[in-house]
Amino acid sequence: MSNSTVLQKETSKVHQEVIEANQKYVSEFGKKGELALPPARSFTILTCMDARLDPAKYAGLSEGDAHVIRNAGGRASDDAIRSLIISHKLLGTKEFFVIHHSDCGMALFTDQIIRNLLEKSLKTATVDSNGWRNLEESGGSDEAKFIPFLTFESLEKSVVDDVKRIRNHPLIPKDIPVYGYFYDVKTGKLVEVEEATKIGRAI
């Protein structure tokens, strides 16, 4: 790859791999440039950013099919709800899926733990039998106290809570069904959280 192809001259191996993969993708892009802006299958998935989850594969998606909103934990944060509102109001989606997953990192710490870590250091922390700790403690910030990290203890309860928040939001129409599932990272199966789906039923 020529250094002239990117503005950032100092690149990592991963950066180079991404640019090269994109060049290959462009060469095979075909007619995808003709896809319409609204998702063809008129639904949205809210799910976790975990690298083991591939919504295109576990939900059978192709480019142009659906909106996929991802964040840490797949939580119904203010920003996720902002995206859901736009997805429906301006782009016509009619069904929402909330999909969390087993073995989620968001259940391995609390808001207070990450705030304490960040207050002392911005470097990546580590975890062992004694819990989370910084490898070095310098250059931290107390700005984390203003961020709700939306950690949780119970996987199924987190799905229920998020479906409930979406269902009860005044800017989400009641005729949109909100389904609640979690993805089993050991099998690839989507497991329905029945209480969540009952709460999310369209009216």
Side-chain angles (χ1 to χ4, degrees), residues 44-60:
T44 303
I45 293 173
L46 170 59
T47 196
C48 186
M49 68 183 191
D50 191 296
R52 294 169 293 179
L53 278 62
D54 186 343
K57 291 179 180 175
Y58 74 58

PDB file of all heavy atoms in Angstrom, residues 44-60:
ATOM      1  N   THR A  44     -34.824  -2.624  13.421  1.00  0.00           N
ATOM      2  CA  THR A  44     -33.599  -2.141  14.050  1.00  0.00           C
ATOM      3  C   THR A  44     -33.161  -3.105  15.143  1.00  0.00           C
ATOM      4  O   THR A  44     -33.999  -3.624  15.888  1.00  0.00           O
ATOM      5  CB  THR A  44     -33.819  -0.748  14.681  1.00  0.00           C
ATOM      6  OG1 THR A  44     -34.283   0.157  13.680  1.00  0.00           O
ATOM      7  CG2 THR A  44     -32.539  -0.206  15.286  1.00  0.00           C
ATOM      8  N   ILE A  45     -31.853  -3.325  15.242  1.00  0.00           N
ATOM      9  CA  ILE A  45     -31.279  -4.126  16.319  1.00  0.00           C
ATOM     10  C   ILE A  45     -30.437  -3.218  17.208  1.00  0.00           C
ATOM     11  O   ILE A  45     -29.618  -2.439  16.711  1.00  0.00           O
ATOM     12  CB  ILE A  45     -30.384  -5.249  15.761  1.00  0.00           C
ATOM     13  CG1 ILE A  45     -31.210  -6.288  15.007  1.00  0.00           C
ATOM     14  CG2 ILE A  45     -29.579  -5.916  16.884  1.00  0.00           C
ATOM     15  CD1 ILE A  45     -30.375  -7.337  14.282  1.00  0.00           C
ATOM     16  N   LEU A  46     -30.670  -3.307  18.520  1.00  0.00           N
ATOM     17  CA  LEU A  46     -29.803  -2.664  19.504  1.00  0.00           C
ATOM     18  C   LEU A  46     -29.016  -3.777  20.184  1.00  0.00           C
ATOM     19  O   LEU A  46     -29.608  -4.660  20.812  1.00  0.00           O
ATOM     20  CB  LEU A  46     -30.627  -1.888  20.535  1.00  0.00           C
ATOM     21  CG  LEU A  46     -29.869  -1.355  21.761  1.00  0.00           C
ATOM     22  CD1 LEU A  46     -28.748  -0.410  21.354  1.00  0.00           C
ATOM     23  CD2 LEU A  46     -30.838  -0.675  22.728  1.00  0.00           C
ATOM     24  N   THR A  47     -27.691  -3.767  20.030  1.00  0.00           N
ATOM     25  CA  THR A  47     -26.894  -4.871  20.554  1.00  0.00           C
ATOM     26  C   THR A  47     -25.545  -4.376  21.054  1.00  0.00           C
ATOM     27  O   THR A  47     -25.218  -3.190  20.958  1.00  0.00           O
ATOM     28  CB  THR A  47     -26.733  -5.973  19.482  1.00  0.00           C
ATOM     29  OG1 THR A  47     -26.285  -7.180  20.092  1.00  0.00           O
ATOM     30  CG2 THR A  47     -25.772  -5.558  18.384  1.00  0.00           C
ATOM     31  N   CYS A  48     -24.756  -5.295  21.588  1.00  0.00           N
ATOM     32  CA  CYS A  48     -23.482  -4.958  22.210  1.00  0.00           C
ATOM     33  C   CYS A  48     -22.368  -4.815  21.168  1.00  0.00           C
ATOM     34  O   CYS A  48     -22.424  -5.390  20.086  1.00  0.00           O
ATOM     35  CB  CYS A  48     -23.115  -6.045  23.228  1.00  0.00           C
ATOM     36  SG  CYS A  48     -21.623  -5.681  24.204  1.00  0.00           S
ATOM     37  N   MET A  49     -21.330  -4.070  21.560  1.00  0.00           N
ATOM     38  CA  MET A  49     -20.172  -3.881  20.691  1.00  0.00           C
ATOM     39  C   MET A  49     -19.196  -5.049  20.745  1.00  0.00           C
ATOM     40  O   MET A  49     -18.204  -5.069  20.000  1.00  0.00           O
ATOM     41  CB  MET A  49     -19.427  -2.607  21.092  1.00  0.00           C
ATOM     42  CG  MET A  49     -18.745  -2.673  22.444  1.00  0.00           C
ATOM     43  SD  MET A  49     -17.976  -1.085  22.850  1.00  0.00           S
ATOM     44  CE  MET A  49     -17.006  -1.569  24.296  1.00  0.00           C
ATOM     45  N   ASP A  50     -19.453  -6.049  21.582  1.00  0.00           N
ATOM     46  CA  ASP A  50     -18.548  -7.188  21.765  1.00  0.00           C
ATOM     47  C   ASP A  50     -18.129  -7.764  20.411  1.00  0.00           C
ATOM     48  O   ASP A  50     -18.970  -8.026  19.541  1.00  0.00           O
ATOM     49  CB  ASP A  50     -19.253  -8.263  22.601  1.00  0.00           C
ATOM     50  CG  ASP A  50     -18.317  -9.359  23.066  1.00  0.00           C
ATOM     51  OD1 ASP A  50     -17.783 -10.086  22.200  1.00  0.00           O
ATOM     52  OD2 ASP A  50     -18.129  -9.514  24.281  1.00  0.00           O
ATOM     53  N   ALA A  51     -16.822  -7.981  20.240  1.00  0.00           N
ATOM     54  CA  ALA A  51     -16.287  -8.431  18.955  1.00  0.00           C
ATOM     55  C   ALA A  51     -16.743  -9.827  18.558  1.00  0.00           C
ATOM     56  O   ALA A  51     -16.646 -10.213  17.386  1.00  0.00           O
ATOM     57  CB  ALA A  51     -14.752  -8.383  18.993  1.00  0.00           C
ATOM     58  N   ARG A  52     -17.258 -10.606  19.510  1.00  0.00           N
ATOM     59  CA  ARG A  52     -17.722 -11.959  19.193  1.00  0.00           C
ATOM     60  C   ARG A  52     -19.094 -11.954  18.526  1.00  0.00           C
ATOM     61  O   ARG A  52     -19.528 -12.989  17.999  1.00  0.00           O
ATOM     62  CB  ARG A  52     -17.777 -12.801  20.473  1.00  0.00           C
ATOM     63  CG  ARG A  52     -16.426 -13.063  21.108  1.00  0.00           C
ATOM     64  CD  ARG A  52     -16.561 -13.668  22.484  1.00  0.00           C
ATOM     65  NE  ARG A  52     -17.143 -12.716  23.436  1.00  0.00           N
ATOM     66  CZ  ARG A  52     -17.389 -12.986  24.714  1.00  0.00           C
ATOM     67  NH1 ARG A  52     -17.117 -14.199  25.194  1.00  0.00           N
ATOM     68  NH2 ARG A  52     -17.902 -12.064  25.503  1.00  0.00           N
ATOM     69  N   LEU A  53     -19.786 -10.831  18.557  1.00  0.00           N
ATOM     70  CA  LEU A  53     -21.136 -10.749  17.996  1.00  0.00           C
ATOM     71  C   LEU A  53     -21.094 -10.171  16.590  1.00  0.00           C
ATOM     72  O   LEU A  53     -20.516  -9.095  16.371  1.00  0.00           O
ATOM     73  CB  LEU A  53     -22.027  -9.854  18.865  1.00  0.00           C
ATOM     74  CG  LEU A  53     -22.661 -10.470  20.114  1.00  0.00           C
ATOM     75  CD1 LEU A  53     -21.610 -10.940  21.111  1.00  0.00           C
ATOM     76  CD2 LEU A  53     -23.598  -9.466  20.782  1.00  0.00           C
ATOM     77  N   ASP A  54     -21.690 -10.868  15.649  1.00  0.00           N
ATOM     78  CA  ASP A  54     -21.805 -10.374  14.284  1.00  0.00           C
ATOM     79  C   ASP A  54     -23.280 -10.379  13.911  1.00  0.00           C
ATOM     80  O   ASP A  54     -23.821 -11.405  13.474  1.00  0.00           O
ATOM     81  CB  ASP A  54     -21.006 -11.259  13.331  1.00  0.00           C
ATOM     82  CG  ASP A  54     -20.975 -10.698  11.913  1.00  0.00           C
ATOM     83  OD1 ASP A  54     -21.809  -9.825  11.593  1.00  0.00           O
ATOM     84  OD2 ASP A  54     -20.113 -11.135  11.126  1.00  0.00           O
ATOM     85  N   PRO A  55     -23.973  -9.246  14.093  1.00  0.00           N
ATOM     86  CA  PRO A  55     -25.408  -9.201  13.816  1.00  0.00           C
ATOM     87  C   PRO A  55     -25.764  -9.613  12.393  1.00  0.00           C
ATOM     88  O   PRO A  55     -26.827 -10.195  12.164  1.00  0.00           O
ATOM     89  CB  PRO A  55     -25.781  -7.739  14.083  1.00  0.00           C
ATOM     90  CG  PRO A  55     -24.738  -7.255  15.041  1.00  0.00           C
ATOM     91  CD  PRO A  55     -23.476  -7.972  14.640  1.00  0.00           C
ATOM     92  N   ALA A  56     -24.887  -9.335  11.448  1.00  0.00           N
ATOM     93  CA  ALA A  56     -25.171  -9.725  10.067  1.00  0.00           C
ATOM     94  C   ALA A  56     -25.323 -11.232   9.959  1.00  0.00           C
ATOM     95  O   ALA A  56     -26.166 -11.737   9.203  1.00  0.00           O
ATOM     96  CB  ALA A  56     -24.064  -9.237   9.140  1.00  0.00           C
ATOM     97  N   LYS A  57     -24.530 -11.967  10.745  1.00  0.00           N
ATOM     98  CA  LYS A  57     -24.586 -13.430  10.692  1.00  0.00           C
ATOM     99  C   LYS A  57     -25.677 -13.985  11.592  1.00  0.00           C
ATOM    100  O   LYS A  57     -26.451 -14.849  11.193  1.00  0.00           O
ATOM    101  CB  LYS A  57     -23.223 -14.010  11.058  1.00  0.00           C
ATOM    102  CG  LYS A  57     -22.171 -13.720   9.993  1.00  0.00           C
ATOM    103  CD  LYS A  57     -20.810 -14.285  10.377  1.00  0.00           C
ATOM    104  CE  LYS A  57     -19.782 -13.981   9.279  1.00  0.00           C
ATOM    105  NZ  LYS A  57     -18.420 -14.407   9.648  1.00  0.00           N
ATOM    106  N   TYR A  58     -25.758 -13.511  12.856  1.00  0.00           N
ATOM    107  CA  TYR A  58     -26.737 -14.130  13.749  1.00  0.00           C
ATOM    108  C   TYR A  58     -28.167 -13.722  13.440  1.00  0.00           C
ATOM    109  O   TYR A  58     -29.109 -14.382  13.853  1.00  0.00           O
ATOM    110  CB  TYR A  58     -26.374 -13.929  15.225  1.00  0.00           C
ATOM    111  CG  TYR A  58     -26.563 -12.564  15.853  1.00  0.00           C
ATOM    112  CD1 TYR A  58     -27.792 -11.921  15.883  1.00  0.00           C
ATOM    113  CD2 TYR A  58     -25.502 -11.952  16.517  1.00  0.00           C
ATOM    114  CE1 TYR A  58     -27.959 -10.706  16.508  1.00  0.00           C
ATOM    115  CE2 TYR A  58     -25.664 -10.735  17.160  1.00  0.00           C
ATOM    116  CZ  TYR A  58     -26.900 -10.112  17.146  1.00  0.00           C
ATOM    117  OH  TYR A  58     -27.058  -8.907  17.782  1.00  0.00           O
ATOM    118  N   ALA A  59     -28.347 -12.630  12.674  1.00  0.00           N
ATOM    119  CA  ALA A  59     -29.703 -12.208  12.317  1.00  0.00           C
ATOM    120  C   ALA A  59     -29.952 -12.252  10.817  1.00  0.00           C
ATOM    121  O   ALA A  59     -31.001 -11.810  10.346  1.00  0.00           O
ATOM    122  CB  ALA A  59     -29.974 -10.799  12.846  1.00  0.00           C
ATOM    123  N   GLY A  60     -29.000 -12.780  10.043  1.00  0.00           N
ATOM    124  CA  GLY A  60     -29.203 -12.953   8.608  1.00  0.00           C
ATOM    125  C   GLY A  60     -29.329 -11.651   7.838  1.00  0.00           C
ATOM    126  O   GLY A  60     -30.224 -11.511   7.008  1.00  0.00           O
TER     127      GLY A  60
END
